[in-house]
Amino acid sequence: MFFRLMYHIVLPVYVVFVIFASISLEKTQNAFFMIVFGLLFIASIFLERIYARLFLFIAASEIISLLLFHFTSQLNWCYSIYIILLSKFLFQVRGAVKGIFLGFGFMVFYTFIRATYSPVNSYSIFGVGSDFLTSIAVVLIIQYIIEMETKKNTLIEEKKREELRHKEEKVELIAEMAAGLAHEIRNPLTIIQGFLQHSKENNYNIQPWHDLIFGEVNRMNKLTVEFLQFSKPDVSQYQAYSIHECLKRVISLTKSNACCLGHQIVYTEYNPDLLVKMDFNKMVQVFVNLINNAVQSMVESGRITIRLFKEGDLAVCEVHDTGVGIEDTDLKKIFNPFFTTKAEGTGLGLPICQKIIQDHWGTIEVSSTPEYGSTFTICLPLETGASHAPDFAKD
Ligand SMILES: Nc1ncnc2c1ncn2[C@@H]1O[C@H](COP(=O)(O)OP(=O)(O)O)[C@@H](O)[C@H]1O
Ligand SMILES: [Mg+2]
């Protein structure tokens, strides 16, 4: 846009200005040729855009017509036209050294032509020095712009590549999850199919197996219900909620079950002012999942400790249990969909937690010592602003 404004509007206007000035000041001795060379110069500038392949030929025509225009106009103001043309070439000829040579070349031509109408004295010799220094400054400024532009383009390219990789990873994950779900559902289906077939062909009474069949149907139901929780959240619906309120809600939902099993939930510290932009119900789901896992990991009566604190511009929440802990080999797999060490497990709890936390621009990490317990740490970016009261009716 600015490029075109400069070369297709400012430059022609400048040429017309010089023509007008040269005629008015009676500097030119051949107004007709000056106008012809001026028009030729402008035409070359426009032709370059149309016939990009003939660049060298057109560039030569631009330079020659400018030299002749300068020669016939007999005006020093042509200097600015040299500089504008030089800046245009500098975008095509990359590199500071090449640029300085080109700039010097332009200045040599300009100085020679100026010498044809201007007396050579100490003033004009100093003028030449100033012209050369100006050309160096122009070259450096254009180099700086080119460098900035290149850096910006590289960043944009990198971002595009990153997005593409992200998309590919997503597609891969979906395929992996679909295959996993199909596999998980096929097992109970095969069992049920076996019973039905047996009952149909051999008139076999499957009544004693009803509970087992129901169990398998329930398992499939649980898998599909949990799987649906991978749905993408509506980010526009996120609101700033107090993470402390969220944890209070989680504790009220999980406390009775934990107490029944002889466990204790301790929420030692809290900071009611930590606000996080979130889908409240999904965040509750994350902590309920973590506490359920913690409860399931504790064979004897144990303790679940929840800590909430601020670290820089992050709200950090730790959920620690005194359960059996996680073996090093399993630690790498626990966020993989369908990884479970439980007979009744689906292996979808933690991947869902991870997905929800990522959808909230946060991170979830785990550390564990086998036999002593595990700690899940969630970091979420803090929000500054007014909090909303959680809408429990949505549950
Ligand atoms: N607090 C914890 N203590 C010990 N192991 C855990 C804990 N949380 C998760 N795990 C391990 O990670 C696995 C995956 O958990 P999850 O995704 O919630 O699926 P599920 O609970 O259905 O097995 C569990 O089977 C268990 O082996
Ligand atoms: Mg679980």
Side-chain angles (χ1 to χ4, degrees):
M1 155 81 180
F2 291 114
F3 203 75
R4 287 184 73 178
L5 192 72
M6 171 90 132
Y7 301 112
H8 293 157
I9 296 179
V10 176
L11 200 55
V13 167
Y14 211 102
V15 170
V16 172
F17 167 77
V18 171
I19 292 174
F20 185 72
S22 179
I23 294 172
S24 306
L25 299 170
E26 294 177 355
K27 291 278 184 187
T28 178
Q29 272 131 42
N30 202 326
F32 173 74
F33 278 116
M34 175 182 68
I35 294 170
V36 168
F37 293 137
L39 290 179
L40 197 66
F41 175 68
I42 295 171
S44 310
I45 296 282
F46 279 92
L47 282 178
E48 187 190 313
R49 217 182 132 71
I50 304 166
Y51 301 105
R53 271 183 301 153
L54 300 175
F55 173 72
L56 275 182
F57 179 71
I58 292 174
S61 146
E62 282 166 359
I63 294 170
I64 293 167
S65 54
L66 173 60
L67 297 179
L68 293 171
F69 176 69
H70 180 198
F71 180 67
T72 46
S73 70
Q74 306 266 292
L75 267 186
N76 286 355
W77 297 334
C78 284
Y79 181 73
S80 302
I81 304 179
Y82 280 83
I83 291 292
I84 297 174
L85 189 65
L86 170 66
S87 73
K88 188 168 77 69
F89 286 143
L90 286 174
F91 280 106
Q92 280 137 349
V93 181
R94 301 277 166 111
V97 179
K98 276 191 209 163
I100 288 174
F101 270 113
L102 191 70
F104 278 12
F106 267 64
M107 290 309 107
V108 167
F109 282 134
Y110 171 75
T111 308
F112 270 116
I113 292 179
R114 201 177 66 167
T116 62
Y117 61 83
S118 169
V120 179
N121 51 29
S122 53
Y123 180 85
S124 64
I125 291 172
F126 277 119
V128 171
S130 151
D131 293 344
F132 273 74
L133 287 174
T134 308
S135 78
I136 295 177
V138 169
V139 170
L140 294 180
I141 290 171
I142 301 284
Q143 280 307 315
Y144 175 74
I145 295 172
I146 292 173
E147 208 177 293
M148 287 294 129
E149 197 64 17
T150 316
K151 270 189 191 155
K152 198 181 90 189
N153 287 342
T154 319
L155 280 179
I156 292 173
E157 281 296 310
E158 256 171 35
K159 209 174 151 214
K160 269 190 196 160
R161 268 202 302 272
E162 180 73 20
E163 270 169 16
L164 196 72
R165 213 175 45 227
H166 198 67
K167 263 189 197 159
E168 281 170 2
E169 275 173 14
K170 243 177 163 175
V171 171
E172 250 173 53
L173 184 73
I174 291 169
E176 201 180 293
M177 302 240 309
L181 185 68
H183 178 260
E184 291 296 315
I185 285 185
R186 211 177 60 182
N187 290 344
L189 265 184
T190 317
I191 293 172
I192 297 167
Q193 193 188 28
F195 276 117
L196 288 177
Q197 197 123 7
H198 205 39
S199 145
K200 192 182 165 199
E201 284 169 8
N202 311 326
N203 218 4
Y204 182 71
N205 178 19
I206 56 168
Q207 202 163 9
W209 306 100
H210 275 178
D211 281 349
L212 192 142
I213 294 171
F214 269 124
E216 292 301 296
V217 171
N218 282 340
R219 188 172 142 64
M220 284 194 291
N221 197 26
K222 196 171 155 194
L223 271 166
T224 43
V225 167
E226 287 201 14
F227 197 76
L228 285 174
Q229 288 169 7
F230 274 105
S231 63
K232 200 158 178 58
D234 184 357
V235 177
S236 64
Q237 297 298 313
Y238 284 12
Q239 288 183 334
Y241 289 111
S242 149
I243 191 106
H244 166 64
E245 286 300 325
C246 176
L247 290 172
K248 268 187 9 192
R249 172 98 175 115
V250 171
I251 291 166
S252 73
L253 288 172
T254 51
K255 199 158 194 159
S256 60
N257 178 44
C259 286
C260 276
L261 296 166
H263 307 310
Q264 218 187 335
I265 298 186
V266 188
Y267 180 28
T268 44
E269 300 155 41
Y270 66 83
N271 186 339
D273 300 328
L274 297 185
L275 301 182
V276 169
K277 215 170 178 187
M278 63 166 106
D279 178 329
F280 191 84
N281 291 320
K282 286 215 176 229
M283 200 52 77
V284 167
Q285 191 191 331
V286 168
F287 288 107
V288 168
N289 269 341
L290 292 186
I291 291 178
N292 282 345
N293 276 347
V295 166
Q296 287 159 9
S297 77
M298 297 188 293
V299 191
E300 290 157 17
S301 54
R303 176 200 283 245
I304 298 168
T305 314
I306 302 169
R307 283 182 66 216
L308 172 65
F309 53 94
K310 184 171 179 269
E311 212 171 77
D313 49 5
L314 295 175
V316 183
C317 185
E318 282 178 1
V319 179
H320 172 76
D321 64 62
T322 54
V324 291
I326 308 166
E327 294 293 333
D328 271 0
T329 44
D330 290 347
L331 214 51
K332 295 181 206 109
K333 301 183 209 153
I334 57 168
F335 290 103
N336 291 352
F338 307 109
F339 173 80
T340 181
T341 52
K342 302 170 195 165
E344 292 291 302
T346 60
L348 287 174
L350 286 180
I352 288 170
C353 290
Q354 191 180 43
K355 167 86 171 47
I356 295 173
I357 295 298
Q358 280 171 355
D359 288 338
H360 285 77
W361 308 282
T363 55
I364 177 167
E365 279 169 16
V366 58
S367 64
S368 184
T369 315
E371 291 173 36
Y372 285 95
S374 315
T375 307
F376 283 82
T377 308
I378 288 180
C379 296
L380 291 161
L382 282 170
E383 172 76 2
T384 46
S387 83
H388 289 80
D391 178 6
F392 294 148
K394 276 191 248 167
D395 296 356

